[in-house]
Amino acid sequence: MILSIPSPNYMSRQGRRPRWVILHGTAGFHKAEDCGYYFQQPSSQVSSHYVIGQDGTIVQCVDEAQAAWANGVLDAGADSWWYDTPNPNYDTISIEHIKPHTDNSDEITPAQKAASFRLIAQICARWGIPTRPADAQGGITGHFSIAPINRSGCPGPYPWDELFNYLNGTSSDDGDEMKTISLKDASSFFEQAPGNAWRCKKNNCVVGNAILDFYRRFGGDALCGLSYLGLPLNNEHPVTAKDGSKVIVQDFERGSLAYDPAHKLDGPPGVGAIYLTHRGVALEVQELRRQLEDAKKQNHAAEVETLKKQVDGYKQAVSAAVKTLQSIK
Ligand SMILES: [Zn+2]
């Protein structure tokens, strides 16, 4: 059931149709109703079409046919298609998720997730919105896509991969779902980075977007990519395929991943856009650099040893000379 707490904070879509669903985190509030009452105050000057509570309660604040006041101005670095619309609010339907922590660090609850997935599926069906990650034609994304600086943590952790599996019917329906790991599962090693990305706590390397989605489900059991690939050793970097085109590669402790939808670098049978590839050249260069540093350190140590011996020699010579002088007196 959807509760209605209408907000006066909305405007006409100016004849435009919603093409994107934008997910948000409330960074405060404990109940969907409380957030709804806040949006109901004219003075708040903000709203969202929907708010979903941690208990799965859905509150509707603005009619889908109207534009809510959920997305502010574009930040530098916003996804390119937002520059083609006079105001992202005209073209979007916004869903807030209650997250009590002001940094939106809460994982959404199972009840909240179920309500969110169902609502998104219904909205996409009603408006013909593509059930895929947002691109210039439409789709689903977070507030970070519009405001990557000021709202990089909106909505914060969200099970994007699971959402798209759910929407596209690729999640198995026999209850034997393929395992994916969440940031919580990997929290000893990773923290949230802006957008769909995790930062390694050990070395600050960032795993993001399609490679992160792959990493989170690779292997399908244990701790997936964390178990089978280990930690990232570098960031995504381009390597050159035989035909001269660039392919993105990222190296991990136990293997390297290529993001290569056109299979320019390699084409193992049956793979999609991402596959396990041979160790990257970048990694070999990194290893050689490390060896060089070690060699330098060893050289340095040897030099210091020689200098020490020389100094000791001088000390002995000086004390011998002093003794000689004293004996002359
Ligand atoms: Zn937001």
Side-chain angles (χ1 to χ4, degrees):
M1 195 188 74
I2 294 182
L3 298 174
S4 177
I5 304 180
S7 166
N9 304 325
Y10 66 85
M11 60 192 172
S12 158
R13 288 194 183 275
Q14 303 292 326
R16 301 170 74 96
R17 276 175 70 87
R19 288 196 284 155
W20 292 275
V21 176
I22 305 296
L23 306 188
H24 303 259
T26 52
F29 296 107
H30 289 271
K31 295 184 69 185
E33 294 91 318
D34 293 343
C35 186
Y37 292 130
Y38 176 70
F39 289 160
Q40 198 165 46
Q41 296 167 26
S43 58
S44 72
Q45 292 283 298
V46 287
S47 66
S48 173
H49 293 92
Y50 297 96
V51 184
I52 302 179
Q54 291 186 303
D55 59 358
T57 300
I58 300 177
V59 169
Q60 181 163 18
C61 306
V62 174
D63 192 286
E64 289 177 11
Q66 307 293 339
W69 296 352
N71 304 291
V73 290
L74 296 190
D75 282 351
D79 281 315
S80 56
W81 56 85
W82 299 118
Y83 293 93
D84 298 331
T85 164
N87 181 333
N89 287 320
Y90 291 150
D91 304 284
T92 54
I93 290 178
S94 279
I95 303 174
E96 287 280 0
H97 297 80
I98 292 290
K99 293 198 169 192
H101 287 96
T102 52
D103 62 0
N104 270 340
S105 59
D106 309 74
E107 297 274 349
I108 66 168
T109 68
Q112 201 172 19
K113 179 168 80 178
S116 181
F117 285 10
R118 265 200 307 274
L119 179 61
I120 293 167
Q122 290 162 359
I123 292 170
C124 288
R126 273 198 285 275
W127 295 95
I129 294 173
T131 53
R132 60 169 187 258
D135 57 31
Q137 271 64 55
I140 305 155
T141 186
H143 197 175
F144 56 78
S145 164
I146 297 170
I149 298 170
N150 291 308
R151 291 292 183 274
S152 65
C154 188
Y158 188 87
W160 293 102
D161 225 31
E162 257 187 271
L163 170 69
F164 293 114
N165 284 341
Y166 171 88
L167 293 174
N168 298 300
T170 47
S171 61
S172 57
D173 51 10
D174 56 7
D176 186 24
E177 283 185 32
M178 279 291 278
K179 161 126 187 181
T180 62
I181 53 166
S182 67
L183 184 58
K184 210 173 177 182
D185 299 323
S187 62
S188 307
F189 302 95
F190 289 99
E191 60 194 6
Q192 183 71 38
N196 179 24
W198 294 358
R199 182 182 297 105
C200 177
K201 289 180 175 176
K202 195 175 144 196
N203 57 25
N204 286 323
C205 293
V206 172
V207 185
N209 302 313
I211 289 184
L212 176 61
D213 293 342
F214 185 92
Y215 182 84
R216 290 181 51 211
R217 62 173 190 269
F218 181 76
D221 61 18
L223 288 177
C224 299
L226 182 55
S227 298
Y228 296 116
L229 290 166
L231 299 176
L233 296 175
N234 45 35
N235 289 326
E236 290 181 5
H237 55 273
V239 299
T240 308
K242 280 196 195 96
D243 70 349
S245 57
K246 298 285 184 196
V247 170
I248 295 296
V249 167
Q250 185 164 21
D251 301 299
F252 294 80
E253 290 171 310
R254 297 182 183 80
S256 300
L257 294 180
Y259 175 72
D260 180 17
H263 298 167
K264 298 278 190 186
L265 195 64
D266 199 357
V271 298
I274 297 186
Y275 54 84
L276 208 56
T277 188
H278 308 284
R279 275 295 153 119
V281 172
L283 201 63
E284 279 164 28
V285 170
Q286 194 175 313
E287 175 62 15
L288 284 173
R289 282 223 179 94
R290 199 185 55 73
Q291 287 176 9
L292 188 64
E293 285 304 314
D294 283 356
K296 270 190 199 158
K297 270 183 211 151
Q298 279 172 14
N299 261 339
H300 188 65
E303 273 171 30
V304 168
E305 204 48 46
T306 310
L307 286 172
K308 263 190 195 157
K309 276 184 187 148
Q310 280 180 5
V311 169
D312 284 346
Y314 291 142
K315 271 188 192 159
Q316 279 171 14
V318 168
S319 70
V322 168
K323 271 182 194 155
T324 309
L325 283 173
Q326 281 170 344
S327 69
I328 290 170
K329 268 187 197 168

